[in-house]
Amino acid sequence: MKGFVDDIEDLTESNKDFRRVLYTGKHLQLVLMTLQPGEEIGEEVHDTHDQFFRFEKGKGQVVIDGVSHKIKADYGVIVPAGARHNVVNTGDKPLKLYTLYGPPEHRDGVVRATKAQAEAGEEHFDGVLTEDGPGTKI
C-alpha cells in the first residue's frame, strides 16, 4: 500500500474547489475544502462519523451543538459523531481547510468546484478505496 504523502498545507492553500476528496482509506478520509466569503458548509450531523478540521487560511466560525467558536489559520477542531455542526467563512477572503472523516463520508476522488455542485450530486461513500483503484469495494 502506498498511503498518502504530500505537502498538505500547500495542497490546502492552493485548492479552489468547494470539496476535493484526496484520499479514502478503510477507516479514514482526507478532503480539501474552500469556502468563499460568506459561504458555509451547511449544518449537518454525522451519526457514525467523527470529523477533524484543520484551517490553513482565512477566518470563520465553527458551531458545534449550538456553541459558536471563532477560528482562523492554524486552528484545529474535532466534531464528535452525533454533534450538529457547521463551518462558516466570516472573512473577506476564502477559508481554506482540510478535514478528516472517520470513517469515510464521500465517494473517493469526488471534486465539486462549488457548493451548488456538491448539493446537486450524489457523493456518499460507496465503499471504493483510493488504494484499490476504480471499481473495487470494501
Side-chain angles (χ1 to χ4, degrees):
M1 292 198 195
K2 60 185 175 193
F4 178 87
V5 179
D6 210 328
D7 184 335
I8 192 66
E9 184 175 3
D10 183 55
L11 290 171
T12 304
E13 290 179 358
S14 64
N15 177 54
K16 291 180 168 63
D17 297 309
F18 176 78
R19 179 179 296 126
R20 175 178 289 273
V21 178
L22 283 187
Y23 184 87
T24 303
K26 196 179 228 181
H27 303 287
L28 197 65
Q29 184 173 60
L30 173 60
V31 178
L32 302 179
M33 295 192 77
T34 296
L35 300 179
Q36 298 304 320
E39 191 170 49
E40 61 185 73
I41 290 175
E43 196 171 77
E44 57 187 4
V45 176
H46 304 296
D47 289 325
T48 60
H49 296 70
D50 291 323
Q51 190 170 5
F52 168 81
F53 293 96
R54 164 67 186 202
F55 299 91
E56 294 292 345
K57 275 190 166 181
K59 61 182 182 177
Q61 125 186 15
V62 172
V63 181
I64 303 172
D65 280 341
V67 179
S68 182
H69 307 271
K70 290 182 180 181
I71 54 92
K72 60 182 181 178
D74 299 330
Y75 272 50
V77 173
I78 295 177
V79 177
R84 182 166 300 282
H85 61 283
N86 194 6
V87 177
V88 181
N89 181 346
T90 60
D92 58 0
K93 295 181 180 168
L95 180 62
K96 306 278 188 158
L97 62 121
Y98 65 87
T99 184
L100 296 168
Y101 292 94
E105 171 70 8
H106 302 286
R107 277 192 349 258
D108 187 54
V110 166
V111 177
R112 299 290 186 241
T114 66
K115 182 178 179 182
Q117 287 177 352
E119 290 174 339
E122 177 59 41
E123 60 182 62
H124 289 290
F125 181 57
D126 60 2
V128 176
L129 308 177
T130 302
E131 295 285 342
D132 296 333
T136 306
K137 292 188 177 186
I138 59 171

